[in-house]
Amino acid sequence: MISREVSCRIGVALRVLSGPLSNIHDLAANDATIALLINVITAVGQFQRDLQNELTAEGIAALARAHGVSRAGVRTALADLLPDQPGPIA
């Protein structure tokens, strides 16, 4: 993690004020235990994002099968239900 490395180098302490990590005094410390903890939290976050993407893709595929349309058709229909989004920057 770049932000952790930079904070260690310049001497910035990262403290959690409440919650289960509140008894750890410096999450930016150059310590093997802290590094392991940060890596586990990062891996769990990545797993959660990957799982959400898989479930979304499976849900879109199931809708497409149920209605006899392509997945692109389902995405287009879902996009039409969303409030107006700003268009791409030209």
Side-chain angles (χ1 to χ4, degrees), residues 45-88:
Q46 183 64 46
F47 172 74
Q48 182 179 5
R49 282 187 297 276
D50 292 345
L51 185 60
Q52 183 176 4
N53 289 337
E54 286 178 20
L55 293 174
T56 299
E58 289 174 8
I60 289 173
L63 277 172
R65 280 191 304 275
H67 294 284
V69 296
S70 69
R71 287 181 290 196
V74 171
R75 286 190 189 106
T76 302
L78 290 174
D80 291 342
L81 295 174
L82 295 174
D84 290 334
Q85 301 289 323

Side-chain angles (χ1 to χ4, degrees), residues 1 16-17 19-20 25-26 28 37 39 50 61 63 74 76 82-83 89:
M1 292 177 57
V16 178
L17 299 178
H25 298 291
D26 186 6
L37 180 65
N39 287 333
D50 292 345
L63 277 172
V74 171
T76 302
L82 295 174
I89 297 174

Side-chain angles (χ1 to χ4, degrees), residues 4 31 64 78:
R4 184 172 175 269
D31 179 318
L78 290 174

